[in-house]
């Protein structure tokens, strides 16, 4: 029990340092659901750090992402994960090196789905690293955002069903993830361009990406309307309302919303 308590503290500490946006809704979840979602986020953050690393060569990223996917499918012992990462220890962040801890943190009933989704994400990320993230069309954008965010929506829907039988729409779940991801793409366009990556389809400017994002966030709204469990609804509504507010800020020429606005939005959702 003590070991699990320490693992819980470690997970929550890493959630806070890696994503304040998701730490907030995860911290509001009840026991059981909190561990499942926390584990899923950290497993996916572990591989996301590999994909995003500006210093790692593309072939190394592809090797690591494909190897993680294979390991998680065939057998994910801590020793095998450590053996994979050891040669790259100085290059990888701690959240990645601790992948076996995040797996151990997951409740057994949700683990298969978390691993299955992490495998699919790792394989999809490897595919897009190999393509050098060359997004030509809206279909390319949808494919990329499915792997890095849409499938998170699908996985969350499966976890809701595991937790209390909550049923949700798969296409709306994918759109939810996509909408959150394209808000980030809008926010980070200049930063992405500096590292030679362009997520806007050819011929698209901000107007087209705003429209694409709003369409997906509108489907996310419909997704939330089907959820009756208050804890799950709050979890979904917090990032949705933050994304909508960020979109408004971006349209006004701001980079993001400030902490006071975040606190106000979270309080409004939780008090409903």
């Amino acid at each position: 029990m003590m070991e699990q308590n320490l693992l819980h503290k470690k997970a929550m500490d890493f959630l806070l340092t890696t994503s304040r946006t998701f730490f907030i809704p995860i911290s509001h979840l009840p026991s059981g659901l909190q561990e499942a979602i926390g584990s899923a986020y950290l497993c996916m953050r572990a591989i996301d750090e590999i994909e995003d690393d500006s210093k790692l060569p593309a072939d190394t990223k592809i090797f690591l992402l494909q190897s993680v996917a294979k390991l998680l499918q065939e057998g994910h012992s801590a020793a095998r994960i450590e053996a994979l990462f050891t040669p790259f220890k100085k290059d990888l962040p701690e959240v990645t090196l601790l992948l076996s801890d995040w797996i151990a943190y997951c409740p057994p009933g949700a683990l298969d789905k978390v691993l299955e989704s992490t495998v699919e994400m790792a394989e999809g990320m490897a595919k897009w690293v190999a393509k050098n993230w060359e997004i030509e069309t809206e279909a390319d954008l949808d494919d990329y955002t499915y792997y890095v965010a849409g499938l998170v929506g699908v996985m969350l829907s499966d976890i809701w069903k595991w937790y209390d039988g909550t049923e949700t729409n798969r296409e709306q779940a994918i759109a939810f993830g996509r909408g959150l991801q394209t808000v980030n793409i809008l926010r980070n366009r200049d930063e992405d361009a500096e590292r030679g990556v362009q997520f806007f389809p050819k011929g698209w400017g901000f107007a087209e990406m705003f429209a694409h994002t709003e369409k997906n966030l509108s489907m996310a709204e419909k997704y939330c309307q089907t959820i009756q469990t208050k804890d799950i609804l709050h979890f979904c509504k917090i990032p949705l309302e933050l994304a909508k507010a960020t979109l408004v800020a971006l349209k006004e020429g701001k980079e993001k919303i400030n902490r006071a606005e975040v606190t106000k939005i979270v309080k409004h959702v939780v008090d409903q």
Side-chain angles (χ1 to χ4, degrees):
M1 187 66 182
M2 179 61 73
E3 186 177 331
Q4 201 62 28
N5 287 341
L6 290 172
L7 191 52
H8 178 76
K9 184 180 185 309
K10 183 192 285 188
M12 296 307 284
D13 286 347
F14 269 85
L15 285 166
L16 180 58
T17 56
T18 55
S19 177
R20 186 172 292 276
T21 300
F22 278 99
F23 171 81
I24 295 168
I26 290 171
S27 68
H28 282 85
L29 289 172
S31 179
L33 200 52
Q34 187 175 97
E35 288 80 3
I37 303 302
S39 163
Y41 176 83
L42 289 166
C43 286
M44 291 176 165
R45 184 64 186 228
I47 60 171
D48 183 59
E49 290 285 350
I50 296 171
E51 186 215 10
D52 277 350
D53 196 306
S54 59
K55 299 184 186 69
L56 281 178
D59 58 349
T60 301
K61 292 183 182 187
I62 293 165
F63 167 74
L64 285 170
L65 289 165
Q66 290 178 339
S67 297
V68 166
K70 191 175 180 188
L71 266 183
L72 297 189
Q73 284 174 305
E74 294 178 354
H76 53 274
S77 72
R80 293 187 72 192
I81 292 172
E82 185 179 357
L84 170 65
F85 288 154
T86 294
F88 308 95
K89 209 164 187 175
K90 64 178 178 25
D91 302 311
L92 297 173
E94 197 174 6
V95 69
T96 303
L97 297 173
L98 291 172
L99 176 59
S100 58
D101 280 355
W102 313 142
I103 294 170
Y105 182 54
C106 190
L111 182 58
D112 283 350
K113 187 57 196 174
V114 169
L115 294 180
E116 177 190 320
S117 299
T118 306
V119 166
E120 188 177 0
M121 180 178 281
E123 291 174 340
M125 284 178 169
K127 178 180 84 169
W128 277 99
V129 172
K131 293 173 76 166
N132 196 33
W133 303 280
E134 289 180 4
I135 290 173
E136 305 276 339
T137 65
E138 183 174 3
D140 288 339
L141 176 65
D142 280 347
D143 187 75
Y144 175 71
T145 54
Y146 168 75
Y147 283 115
V148 299
L151 75 84
V152 178
V154 176
M155 179 198 65
L156 290 173
S157 286
D158 286 339
I159 290 176
W160 308 147
K161 189 171 181 180
W162 159 77
Y163 179 68
D164 70 354
T166 292
E167 296 274 2
T168 45
N169 178 278
R170 185 178 188 276
E171 291 308 310
Q172 290 172 355
I174 293 170
F176 199 154
R178 280 198 178 119
L180 298 185
Q181 184 66 25
T182 49
V183 169
N184 286 335
I185 288 172
L186 281 160
R187 273 189 61 201
N188 299 329
R189 188 178 191 183
D190 292 343
E191 186 182 314
D192 289 333
E194 283 175 18
R195 61 190 183 100
V197 180
Q198 168 61 271
F199 293 111
F200 281 53
K202 286 202 169 167
W204 277 32
F206 280 104
E208 290 80 8
M209 190 64 88
F210 275 124
H212 182 79
T213 302
E214 286 166 342
K215 177 185 75 175
N216 282 304
L217 291 182
S218 175
M219 290 180 71
E221 287 273 13
K222 292 175 183 172
Y223 177 88
C224 289
Q225 287 166 10
T226 66
I227 296 170
Q228 303 299 316
T229 305
K230 190 168 276 191
D231 291 320
I232 295 173
L233 181 60
H234 288 170
F235 176 88
C236 295
K237 286 286 282 184
I238 289 170
L240 176 58
E241 293 304 319
L242 291 174
K244 286 161 58 182
T246 300
L247 209 57
V248 171
L250 290 170
K251 285 184 174 181
E252 293 172 351
K254 301 173 190 170
E255 185 183 338
K256 58 183 179 179
I257 54 176
N258 61 41
R259 190 166 294 184
E261 289 173 288
V262 170
T263 302
K264 183 178 176 183
I265 289 167
V266 172
K267 185 177 186 307
H268 178 70
V269 171
V270 173
D271 287 349
Q272 284 181 333

